[in-house]
Amino acid sequence: MTKPSDSAKQKTANPMWGGHYERAPDQWMEVINASIGCDHKLYAQDIRGSLAHASMLADQGVITREEAEKIMSGLATILGEISRGEMVWKTELEDIHMHVEHRLKELIGETAGKLHTARSRNDQVATDFRLYVHDACALVMGYLEGLIRALLQRADEHAETVMPGFTHLQTAQPVTLGHHLMAYVEMFGRDHGRFADAQARMSESPLGAAALAGTSFPIDRMATAESLGLGQPMRNSLDAVGSRDFALEFLSSVAICMQNLSRLAEECVLWSSAPFAFIRFSEAFTTGSSIMPQKRNPDAAELIRGKTGRVYGSLIALLTTMKGLPLAYNKDMQEDKEPVFDASETLQLCLQVMMGMVSDFTANAERMRVAAAEGYATATDLADWLVRSLGMPFRDAHHVTGRIVRAAEAHQRKLHELSLEEMQAVEPRITQDVFNVLSVEHSVASRTSFGGTAPARVREAIQQARKRYAL
């Protein structure tokens, strides 16, 4: 727990409401009330919003142009100071807004106080936070595009590399590694779309809503919205300061994206293990053991998998904070930022790490091909052959194929290792042609339906994805 600083113990009324309050808050009240330990990350957005507000106030004649230029010059100085790490954060100033205002007063004097005309900390923080999340969406989309690009490159390399496809983690049918990787291109593509949709929905400005009811000053909310790149102002002042669904939508998208990353991470862990040996990661994305010198642990993938639960917690935390709040602003909402900051930074890190892992792995094509031939993976191809060649209803073909698989199991042989006579003992009409469909290569090549695993289809999907994402 952070202890009160010496400055927090000073017995002076709070500078924001000292006209009504005669005594300072309790030292622990000051600690619990302060958010500067977290919301200092909003400094760029806070100054950006203040610049737009000051310019608009001058345009509307609420303050003079000279006052606005003085304010804007001071804000530019503060932006540089904070960027260089020169600002000293003080608990008694509570948040980033008061730090900027306090420093501005030191720089330009009483004119600084005019910046707060026609706005409240309520619409100020709502604007800052919305700008931060809006920017975070753009960053995440950029990293997703990088990951998709890496997946497309590896899928192109392995469009014909045969591997087992699984259901229930049991060998099901042969697929290609390229096809498998393209599944993640689709998943991360939907993630990209979710962030784009969320960003579009949050492109409205709360600035000018003031505390909750708007303002009597002749402000131009459309001007500040456009200046901030948010398109238009929010249409209801209560909603503007009292809603955080834009942050919840962002966190929901982050959580879904982390789930998709975690699934890929889990396959990286499985595939790089000795029993699978499908892929191998270099030393760049693995760690060793303090006691077992032979180990090469896929810790990067495991950490992505582990951090997923942390992001889920951030979403649940904010949902819980918001679930019982009446309109408009409540101090509970001070708890909205930390989960968003943490989840955003976590996702961005994990996307960059996964991008590196995808580019790094070496595939063991022979091991994957051998594994694809195990577990009677071409049994469905046999059933399909019975339907096509003998006109057998699929359910009957399924039954016949099951009996042939059982015969192969009894002899401890693969399907293609059975003799024609052994198959004809189950179904007399089977001909020598059946052996043409029992190889994993034929199985993969035959899956030519749209979205299928045939190499030609995989390469089509790669080209379409490159066009879709302009990669």
Side-chain angles (χ1 to χ4, degrees):
M1 182 182 295
T2 304
K3 294 182 179 180
S5 64
D6 290 338
S7 59
K9 300 175 185 177
Q10 294 173 359
K11 300 300 181 182
T12 57
N14 189 289
M16 283 177 286
W17 50 76
H20 179 62
Y21 277 62
E22 294 182 352
R23 56 177 293 189
D26 180 85
Q27 60 184 20
W28 288 110
M29 175 59 188
E30 221 165 60
V31 171
I32 196 173
N33 195 46
S35 59
I36 190 59
C38 168
D39 67 21
H40 67 272
K41 293 184 178 183
L42 296 174
Y43 77 89
Q45 288 82 13
D46 190 73
I47 292 174
R48 185 172 153 198
S50 291
L51 288 167
H53 187 65
S55 179
M56 180 275 297
L57 290 178
D59 290 342
Q60 295 300 107
V62 177
I63 64 175
T64 68
R65 177 54 59 185
E66 292 73 22
E67 288 171 331
E69 289 176 356
K70 195 173 182 181
I71 288 170
M72 294 167 74
S73 176
L75 289 171
T77 298
I78 296 169
L79 180 61
E81 290 175 348
I82 299 177
S83 299
R84 295 189 297 271
E86 296 170 5
M87 177 71 79
V88 177
W89 308 117
K90 299 176 182 179
T91 304
E92 68 270 21
L93 291 177
E94 291 191 13
D95 55 33
I96 185 60
H97 324 300
M98 288 310 299
H99 276 78
V100 172
E101 186 173 322
H102 182 267
R103 179 58 179 147
L104 187 61
K105 185 175 181 180
E106 290 179 339
L107 290 171
I108 69 172
E110 294 301 324
T111 303
K114 295 195 174 186
L115 175 59
H116 209 55
T117 306
R119 76 173 182 184
S120 162
R121 280 197 301 172
N122 293 356
D123 64 332
Q124 190 176 357
V125 69
T127 302
D128 294 357
F129 194 27
R130 191 171 285 255
L131 287 171
Y132 177 93
V133 179
H134 194 274
D135 292 344
C137 285
L139 288 171
V140 168
M141 285 190 285
Y143 290 130
L144 277 167
E145 288 164 12
L147 176 55
I148 290 170
R149 184 182 294 107
L151 286 165
L152 288 171
Q153 176 62 38
R154 301 315 305 274
D156 202 12
E157 294 172 22
H158 293 286
E160 299 184 21
T161 302
V162 177
M163 67 173 291
F166 299 97
T167 61
H168 310 278
L169 205 55
Q170 305 295 312
T171 300
Q173 292 178 271
V175 295
T176 67
L177 177 56
H179 187 60
H180 197 114
L181 294 175
M182 286 302 294
Y184 284 104
V185 168
E186 294 299 316
M187 292 160 71
F188 292 126
R190 290 192 294 274
D191 287 324
H192 189 281
R194 273 184 280 272
F195 286 108
D197 290 345
Q199 188 185 54
R201 252 184 301 280
M202 70 180 71
S203 293
E204 296 180 336
S205 173
L207 194 57
L212 77 163
T215 177
S216 60
F217 288 95
I219 61 172
D220 185 347
R221 293 190 61 208
M222 182 61 76
T224 51
E226 291 177 352
S227 176
L228 294 171
L230 294 178
Q232 63 182 1
M234 295 185 72
R235 287 176 284 274
N236 183 282
S237 59
L238 285 166
D239 179 49
V241 300
S243 298
R244 294 295 184 268
D245 52 356
F246 69 92
L248 287 167
E249 186 172 9
F250 174 74
L251 283 176
S252 299
S253 300
V254 173
I256 295 170
C257 188
M258 283 298 299
Q259 173 198 262
N260 291 336
L261 281 171
S262 186
R263 295 184 72 182
L264 178 53
E266 168 68 3
E267 296 199 304
C268 289
V269 172
L270 287 173
W271 292 357
S272 63
S273 66
F276 276 80
F278 288 178
I279 61 175
R280 181 178 174 86
F281 291 104
S282 75
E283 295 172 0
F285 289 94
T286 57
T287 64
S289 166
S290 63
I291 190 172
M292 296 170 284
Q294 84 283 5
K295 294 293 293 298
R296 182 173 289 199
N297 300 321
D299 281 7
E302 291 173 5
L303 286 165
I304 291 172
R305 192 175 59 187
K307 288 179 184 293
T308 301
R310 173 175 171 168
V311 168
Y312 290 175
S314 294
L315 172 59
I316 295 301
L318 187 53
L319 283 168
T320 305
T321 295
M322 296 302 298
K323 74 174 183 65
L325 298 186
L327 291 174
Y329 182 80
N330 297 270
K331 196 68 169 183
D332 313 51
M333 292 161 71
Q334 187 165 289
E335 294 298 310
D336 59 0
K337 297 166 201 65
E338 285 193 84
V340 170
F341 293 165
D342 187 77
S344 177
E345 291 166 6
T346 298
L347 176 59
Q348 290 175 50
L349 171 62
C350 290
L351 285 169
Q352 291 177 86
V353 171
M354 184 57 78
M355 191 191 319
M357 292 175 64
V358 167
S359 299
D360 178 80
F361 77 79
T362 302
N364 186 340
E366 179 56 25
R367 170 65 191 130
M368 284 191 282
R369 191 197 66 78
V370 170
E374 296 172 352
Y376 306 101
T378 57
T380 303
D381 297 274
L382 172 55
D384 288 346
W385 183 89
L386 293 172
V387 171
R388 283 194 306 269
S389 299
L390 304 184
M392 191 179 291
F394 183 80
R395 281 298 158 213
D396 293 345
H398 187 285
H399 182 74
V400 169
T401 300
R403 291 173 60 195
I404 293 173
V405 168
R406 189 167 59 192
E409 289 174 335
H411 292 89
Q412 297 184 339
R413 281 184 275 169
K414 296 180 174 62
L415 284 177
H416 70 273
E417 292 174 341
L418 289 174
S419 66
L420 178 60
E421 291 74 17
E422 287 169 323
M423 290 191 185
Q424 288 175 335
V426 176
E427 171 50 63
R429 292 178 294 166
I430 293 177
T431 68
Q432 188 70 32
D433 289 344
V434 73
F435 292 99
N436 294 331
V437 304
L438 296 183
S439 72
V440 292
E441 289 79 10
H442 178 276
S443 176
V444 164
S446 71
R447 306 295 170 183
T448 56
S449 59
F450 182 80
T453 192
R457 283 299 194 184
V458 172
R459 290 196 170 93
E460 275 181 16
I462 292 169
Q463 292 305 314
Q464 290 168 359
R466 284 179 170 152
K467 289 179 182 177
R468 192 159 66 242
Y469 301 108
L471 299 175

